[in-house]
Amino acid sequence: MDPTAYEHLVEPRIVERADERMLEVQAVGDPDEIGGAAFGLLFQLYFSSGAATGSTPPVTRARWQEDLNEMPRAEWVGRYALPLPETVDSLPAHTPPEGVTATITTWEYGAVAEILHVGRYDAERPTVERLKAFVETEGYETVGGHEEEYVLGPTMAGPGNPDEYRTILRYRVREVSAPRGDRIGFPSQRPALRR
């Protein structure tokens, strides 16, 4: 995966995204403590299901509740996932760790706002706030929780350099009103939704 292929996302955008079939592992708890088990099961199931058709799996994603700052990390519900081809219609036999479940599901999308965060996961807040401000300025509101797509992060070889991590931050959005520019008599800067 070439992380520079995502550099155009350093500026926030709103695009249309098709729903996607996913292999999802749900885990409750601090991601620093439960994330390894969740990702371990995710990859175990992905490779043992026959979903892998190339040498590298697709980029992993995770979804989180709307505002994680207002709840203890031990209560976070993480939905860790990989896109799953239609050829896989059931999960292989497995024994998940306690508090972890796996399923095949569909992640709904539609209009989404997204931006690339460069750096540590614990330093995402300013990038999230920038994306949310953009969403509001464009006359939209977020729908549901926060999604992360891990373009470049820790590997099996170790943590890598957290300052170089690349994470696409994404929210589903819906239009609520005219953009601020339209409301105050200036032309809108809203980009056309891209398909």
Side-chain angles (χ1 to χ4, degrees), residues 122-134:
D122 61 4
E124 286 180 356
R125 180 58 43 197
T127 310
V128 168
E129 294 306 326
R130 182 172 170 225
L131 181 59
K132 286 185 170 183
F134 172 79

Side-chain angles (χ1 to χ4, degrees), residues 90-111:
S90 63
L91 296 178
H94 64 282
T95 304
E98 186 177 338
V100 177
T101 59
T103 187
I104 295 173
T105 190
T106 298
W107 279 17
E108 294 181 357
Y109 283 104

Side-chain angles (χ1 to χ4, degrees), residues 26-29 63-65 68 71-80:
Q26 183 171 302
V28 178
R63 282 187 169 176
W64 308 94
Q65 307 92 308
L68 299 175
M71 61 184 355
R73 289 175 66 92
E75 296 175 15
W76 287 14
V77 178
R79 297 169 56 203
Y80 306 84

